[in-house]
Amino acid sequence: MIKEEERDQDELYYYYHFHWWCHRQHHLQLKRTRLMLTVLSLILLAAGNIVGPLISNVWVLAGLTWASVVLKGFMEYRKYETKVDLSRFAYTSYAKGVVDLNPQELHWTHKMMIDLAPVVPDRLRRQYQRPDHVDGIKVILQTEADSHGKTSTT
């Protein structure tokens, strides 16, 4: 009975770690994408304001400003702000489950968790299966093995 409960707790822990890592990577990816699109939009707008009067061509100014507005509209259409907020919620919720809660509390938290996060891309799910790409997974596995009194082979 105790071994079965330990196995269930370990499975729950790895479930939370998997979702924590995937949502963390997705959150960082969304933040980078939002940052790059915002910077590109501002560069286009600034370039239009600087280059347009220098060459006395209103079409250059209009074209660069239009491109900047279209880029900002694309960001609004894709709802990057909302996606970043929801992915931060999922990332921090799963982090709390992995780091702060003990296995008994994880079981109850798991039953009550509502997942509002955007869908994690399959590429991140496949990447998690490759241990050389997972941040700190060997340290976590070593700590988990030591806590159960086992020796690690890594």
Side-chain angles (χ1 to χ4, degrees):
M1 183 73 175
I2 293 175
K3 292 223 183 240
E4 185 177 316
E5 288 176 8
E6 269 186 30
R7 185 178 52 87
D8 290 343
Q9 291 171 355
D10 286 345
E11 287 176 5
L12 195 58
Y13 175 82
Y14 292 120
Y15 171 83
Y16 269 87
H17 185 269
F18 169 75
H19 284 287
W20 166 78
W21 188 86
C22 288
H23 284 290
R24 177 176 173 255
Q25 296 301 318
H26 194 227
H27 176 69
L28 294 174
Q29 175 189 359
L30 287 172
K31 279 178 55 175
R32 280 191 299 268
T33 303
R34 182 187 65 179
L35 176 67
M36 290 299 134
L37 289 175
T38 301
V39 166
L40 181 61
S41 175
L42 291 174
I43 287 173
L44 287 172
L45 191 60
N49 287 332
I50 293 170
V51 173
L54 285 179
I55 62 172
S56 300
N57 189 347
V58 73
W59 293 108
V60 172
L61 174 64
L64 290 172
T65 304
W66 178 81
S68 175
V69 169
V70 166
L71 196 56
K72 285 300 247 181
F74 174 75
M75 287 176 56
E76 287 296 320
Y77 173 72
R78 294 295 301 230
K79 298 182 174 128
Y80 275 101
E81 294 295 324
T82 304
K83 286 181 181 180
V84 168
D85 290 340
L86 291 176
S87 67
R88 184 181 331 117
F89 165 76
Y91 162 55
T92 56
S93 297
Y94 285 115
K96 183 172 178 61
V98 169
V99 175
D100 293 341
L101 301 176
N102 65 34
Q104 288 81 18
E105 291 173 346
L106 265 179
H107 184 69
W108 293 107
T109 305
H110 174 67
K111 288 183 176 182
M112 293 184 278
M113 173 99 46
I114 298 172
D115 194 9
L116 297 174
V119 177
V120 175
D122 288 335
R123 156 183 79 70
L124 290 175
R125 294 176 187 275
R126 287 189 304 270
Q127 190 176 1
Y128 183 83
Q129 303 303 323
R130 298 174 51 193
D132 56 322
H133 289 288
V134 178
D135 301 331
I137 186 69
K138 290 183 181 179
V139 173
I140 292 172
L141 291 175
Q142 176 67 35
T143 306
E144 189 67 25
D146 291 343
S147 70
H148 289 297
K150 302 172 187 171
T151 57
S152 177
T153 59
T154 57

